[in-house]
Each structure stands twice: as C-alpha cells, then as structure tokens.
Amino acid sequence: MPDTYKRHGLTIDQRLALTTAARRLGEEFTGTFGTETIERFLHTSYDQFATSAAVANFLPLLAERFARQRLHALAQVEGHGDGRPIVLFLCVHNAGRSQMALGFFAALAGEHAVGWSGGSEFATEINPAATASMAERGIDISREFPKPWTEEIVRAADVVVTMGCGDACPVYPGKRYLDWELDDPAGLAAEDVRPIRDEIERRVRGLLAELDVPVTDHA
C-alpha cells in the first residue's frame, strides 16, 4: 500500500481491508490495469467516503465497490467494454430518485445492460421511504449506497439521466442526456413515494425499449 495512505486515522484493520481489496481488484482486472492504477482508484474512492462518519465501519468495502465500478468505467472508456449499453442515473443526493431508477433498471434489464447511479452532493444513506417503496415491488435497494459521480463514469455512460441536479450535473459534449422532472421523495412517507416510484418505473421501461434492451419482469 502506498505510504501516502498510511496516514493518521487509518486503523490496522482498515489498512488490512484496503490491502485485501487491492488484491481482489488486481486479480479481477489483471491484464487490463496495473497495480498503480488500481491502488490509486481504490484509495481515491476511499477518500470520497472518508468524511462520512455514518459509514466509517464500512469505508474499505464502499471504497472497493466504488473503485470496481470506476475501473469498469475506465475500461469502457479505453475500449475494453463488452458492448452492453450503460445508463447513468444522477440526482442530488443519490438517495432516492436515482436509486429507485437504478433498482428498476437492474431488475428489468438483468445482464442485458449496465446501470449506475450517482449524486452531485451524495448523502450518507438511502432514503428509507424509497427503500420501503421499492420493497413493495419486490426490489431490494437496501444494499446500495449513495455515491458521487466521477469523470470516467460519466464518460463511459451511453445515456445520462438527470433528476433535479440542475447545473451541478456534469455535461459532456456529444453525450446523450435525458432530464426527468420528478418530485423529490426526501422527507416523504413510503405511501407518498409510490406515485414517484411508479412514474420512475414507467420511464425506465420506456428507456429500455428505446435502447432495444429485452425486459425481464421482476414480479
């Protein structure tokens, strides 16, 4: 592990977890990225979440999961993708709308497409009402976590769907953008989130149809 990251605040367990994560990522991306790139992505991902005390115990795991997504995105940008369409869902906190959209996208598209999500000011946890509302449809988003967007993730996406993040959402010339105007579920009870959830499902289904992605109903 680079000396840069043997800084005050990292426990022995966290260092061990990051070392183990780097090894797993190295095995997964062998032949695509070298150790230096993998460790850089892992530790910068760690830094993205390090200011959030709510997830302190899970920082190495979150860093590994986010670094894995970023490395897949970089591979796509560098021409090592597998041809599946990639859709990125963005909102402000990545805690409600974009997470519900990703939940529907993953459940309906299965292995036929790739979905990611992110936020311009990502929160510390998923909106419980959004989680409960999606559970009513048989979709579990409780294991997801709010995360930021990064340059390689936006560049890798074929379609970027924005939901209320306005000027904070990244804009790259030549990329396809869709702006979905949807109410923010923050502060709402689960029953009040249902209309938003149902509208998100309708739009996700429409997007998958446009992308010619076969849909497998989760229900």
Side-chain angles (χ1 to χ4, degrees), residues 1-2 5-7 9-26 38-39 41-47 50 58-65 67:
M1 184 181 301
Y5 297 100
K6 293 183 179 179
R7 60 186 186 276
L10 278 185
T11 67
I12 293 175
D13 287 344
Q14 287 173 323
R15 293 176 185 175
L16 177 60
L18 286 172
T19 300
T20 302
R23 184 173 65 249
R24 280 195 295 258
L25 291 171
I38 289 170
E39 290 191 341
F41 271 59
L42 176 63
H43 291 293
T44 55
S45 294
Y46 182 96
D47 290 341
F58 304 102
L59 282 174
L61 176 61
L62 295 182
E64 180 181 353
R65 289 177 62 185

Side-chain angles (χ1 to χ4, degrees), residues 154-200:
V154 180
R155 290 176 60 199
D158 297 296
V159 181
V160 178
V161 179
T162 61
M163 309 175 192
C165 48
D167 293 339
C169 283
V171 177
Y172 286 76
K175 190 158 298 293
R176 182 185 177 191
Y177 285 86
L178 298 174
D179 184 38
W180 290 358
E181 293 186 8
L182 298 160
D183 291 335
D184 189 345
L188 300 180
E191 57 266 24
D192 298 319
V193 175
R194 289 169 188 155
I196 304 172
R197 173 201 66 193
D198 294 344
E199 177 61 18
I200 289 174

Side-chain angles (χ1 to χ4, degrees), residues 12-158:
I12 293 175
D13 287 344
Q14 287 173 323
R15 293 176 185 175
L16 177 60
L18 286 172
T19 300
T20 302
R23 184 173 65 249
R24 280 195 295 258
L25 291 171
E27 292 170 354
E28 184 173 342
F29 290 94
T30 184
T32 303
F33 298 117
T35 301
E36 182 179 345
T37 297
I38 289 170
E39 290 191 341
R40 174 166 54 87
F41 271 59
L42 176 63
H43 291 293
T44 55
S45 294
Y46 182 96
D47 290 341
Q48 294 272 19
F49 299 104
T51 57
S52 176
V55 295
N57 293 336
F58 304 102
L59 282 174
L61 176 61
L62 295 182
E64 180 181 353
R65 289 177 62 185
F66 191 44
R68 179 175 288 106
Q69 177 179 316
R70 293 177 61 198
L71 288 165
H72 279 299
L74 183 61
Q76 175 75 21
V77 170
E78 295 184 351
H80 302 296
D82 57 17
R84 292 180 296 171
I86 299 174
V87 177
L88 173 62
F89 298 97
L90 296 177
C91 66
V92 178
H93 301 301
N94 191 216
R97 291 165 290 186
S98 56
Q99 292 286 359
M100 289 191 288
L102 176 61
F104 277 120
F105 189 91
L108 294 169
E111 297 298 319
H112 300 293
V114 176
W116 295 327
S117 70
S120 54
E121 301 174 15
F122 70 101
T124 58
E125 62 181 2
I126 303 293
N127 182 339
T131 301
S133 179
M134 292 297 288
E136 293 176 350
R137 298 301 310 278
I139 298 176
D140 182 8
I141 63 171
S142 64
R143 293 187 68 256
E144 292 297 328
F145 58 99
K147 63 189 77 66
W149 56 268
T150 60
E151 180 180 355
E152 66 277 349
I153 287 174
V154 180
R155 290 176 60 199
D158 297 296

